[in-house]
Amino acid sequence: MKVIKEWGNFEESIASVVEKQVEFAGKVWKPNRKLAYVVASLCHPLPVTNSKDRSFTAATLANSAGSAHMQMCDFEHRLEYYGAEQDEIVGAIAAVEFPEKEKAIELASAGEKVPMKVLMAIWRKAAGVESALEDIGSKSNPWRTSMECEFDINESALHDGKTFYKFSTASDEMKDLVKKNSVDKWNGKKMSLAMGGEDGHVLFTGGALTRWPADKGAIVHEMAASDPKLFINTGWKNQSDWMEAVSTHRSVQEKSGISIGQTAPAEDGHTHEIAYDLSILTNQNHSHYLRLISFDPKSGILEGITSAISLYDSKLGTWTEHFHKIRIGPVSADASASMSVVPAEAIKLAQKR
């Protein structure tokens, strides 16, 4: 069996950024500081072809879409497998969506685009990922999607827009139409190579993020990513362990003296005064400890985040964990975050502590 390695790139879009979660394939997927999710259309069946004149039938995609599950994601197909100096793997395909075969054939026959959608789980510890996620969330998003697959060319077919010609029984002259990055015309007709044939199989071996698309047939739909710089301190058994885990902290003092600044506001607008000894003063009957993030002696800017405090809202019946950003220096902090949980989840959280 002759196995062909193939990849093709697909259409652009501006993705919507979702901080908390994304729904895909019947499940809710929640990001964290080191894991983001990108929903994208990886490819489409005919009548869509890419710039390399490769294509799929709806039947073949329906047969094969599931093979993409748990395959890798990379940047620009940069893998040693394809001749790159080193791999640039950034995640995996966590889930796939494509219609049932009959429905897919019906839609494609009606001339509709039928995307094979994937949920890419992107690892934020991988090089270049943070920058790429920022780009994806921008209005001028340069990132597109791209598929990687392998197929048996003898099980594939040439297609002229109406008729399929099995590659295995085609003449040598027709076989020679297929070039590395194109397919020549046949009797003046534009041709494509239908990978996997009319109703066959291909093996999807991965997906890529690329800035240089070869096809305009797919889009990045959505991204779920939380702020990687915000820490929610949960899981400590007691207050002593919590304090010990916070590398830089000061006891909260009502009368600590001179105020050197304020925390960033919480979602309800309240702030806390920061004392000269970096203690966080009590406000609204609660207080925090400071976790130092960084200090740049050249600019004189100190950045940090307060450790989370749990508050119970009896009216709403919810517990809220919130924290504040701190930036002492030429510019004040302008962001904070909070996390609300239902009582049942709060109990589990308390038990962990």
Side-chain angles (χ1 to χ4, degrees):
M1 181 178 74
K2 186 177 181 182
V3 174
I4 307 297
K5 303 171 189 175
E6 188 69 36
W7 61 89
N9 306 316
F10 293 85
E11 187 183 35
E12 65 182 270
S13 80
I14 298 173
S16 59
V17 181
V18 179
E19 292 189 355
K20 295 192 181 293
Q21 63 189 37
V22 63
E23 294 184 16
F24 189 85
K27 292 178 62 178
V28 174
W29 306 80
K30 296 182 179 182
N32 56 48
R33 287 190 297 113
K34 295 301 179 186
L35 181 65
Y37 292 107
V38 171
V39 177
S41 292
L42 201 61
C43 54
H44 292 74
L46 287 164
V48 175
T49 61
N50 66 23
S51 63
K52 295 165 70 175
D53 301 319
R54 269 54 172 175
S55 61
F56 302 100
T57 66
T60 294
L61 272 188
N63 296 336
S64 309
S67 67
H69 182 236
M70 294 308 297
Q71 298 284 5
M72 70 177 67
C73 298
D74 54 67
F75 279 141
E76 304 292 358
H77 307 292
R78 286 196 286 263
L79 300 172
E80 290 183 0
Y81 190 74
Y82 296 133
E85 291 186 3
Q86 63 181 32
D87 293 341
E88 292 190 28
I89 299 170
V90 298
I93 295 174
V96 184
E97 284 185 346
F98 193 72
E100 294 293 331
K101 184 188 289 188
E102 289 186 9
K103 184 64 175 178
I105 294 172
E106 177 187 337
L107 292 170
S109 297
E112 295 188 32
K113 290 186 177 181
V114 189
M116 171 182 157
K117 291 184 178 181
V118 296
L119 180 75
M120 295 180 173
I122 305 298
W123 304 326
R124 303 181 75 163
K125 291 170 71 175
V129 165
E130 288 302 318
S131 177
L133 292 179
E134 289 181 11
D135 288 343
I136 289 172
S138 70
K139 291 183 178 180
S140 57
N141 173 27
W143 291 100
R144 315 294 183 251
T145 56
S146 179
M147 64 87 186
E148 298 172 358
C149 79
E150 297 183 0
F151 62 97
D152 185 344
I153 195 169
N154 289 315
E155 294 179 358
S156 300
L158 288 159
H159 183 240
D160 65 5
K162 292 184 178 180
T163 306
F164 290 94
Y165 304 88
K166 290 184 178 180
F167 194 88
S168 59
T169 58
S171 66
D172 290 341
E173 189 177 2
M174 287 193 75
K175 290 179 179 179
D176 289 341
L177 297 176
V178 180
K179 303 297 191 292
K180 182 178 181 181
N181 293 307
S182 64
V183 178
D184 292 342
K185 290 184 177 180
W186 177 253
N187 293 330
K189 293 182 179 180
K190 181 176 175 59
M191 304 290 287
S192 70
L193 177 65
M195 299 175 286
E198 288 186 72
D199 191 356
H201 294 80
V202 300
L203 173 63
F204 285 101
T205 57
L209 293 172
T210 177
R211 285 172 288 189
W212 294 276
D215 195 298
K216 300 296 181 181
I219 61 174
V220 174
H221 297 279
E222 196 172 21
M223 179 177 73
S226 31
D227 189 335
K229 297 177 182 177
L230 299 184
F231 293 79
I232 298 177
N233 293 316
T234 59
W236 311 120
K237 293 179 181 179
N238 52 53
Q239 184 77 353
S240 297
D241 288 349
W242 190 351
M243 290 170 58
E244 186 175 339
V246 178
S247 58
T248 301
H249 64 270
R250 301 286 186 272
S251 61
V252 177
Q253 301 174 28
E254 292 281 359
K255 300 178 181 179
S256 296
I258 301 171
S259 171
I260 61 173
Q262 286 186 330
T263 66
E267 291 180 343
D268 63 3
H270 84 268
T271 61
H272 295 260
E273 295 291 323
I274 305 170
Y276 75 99
D277 63 352
L278 299 184
S279 58
I280 311 301
L281 303 188
T282 299
N283 187 15
Q284 295 197 352
N285 299 318
H286 73 274
S287 55
H288 298 256
Y289 294 97
L290 171 65
R291 177 182 177 114
L292 182 66
I293 301 300
S294 66
F295 176 70
D296 182 354
K298 185 177 292 186
S299 66
I301 294 175
L302 180 148
E303 292 183 301
I305 192 167
T306 65
S307 56
I309 296 293
S310 296
L311 298 173
Y312 183 70
D313 188 320
S314 58
K315 293 182 180 179
L316 297 177
T318 62
W319 286 81
T320 298
E321 296 227 347
H322 82 271
F323 48 88
H324 299 260
K325 274 186 175 181
I326 290 172
R327 194 172 195 268
I328 300 172
V331 183
S332 298
D334 61 358
S336 66
S338 66
M339 176 182 70
S340 294
V341 293
V342 298
E345 293 173 335
I347 293 171
K348 293 179 181 178
L349 194 63
Q351 289 174 341
K352 288 181 180 180
R353 288 188 179 147

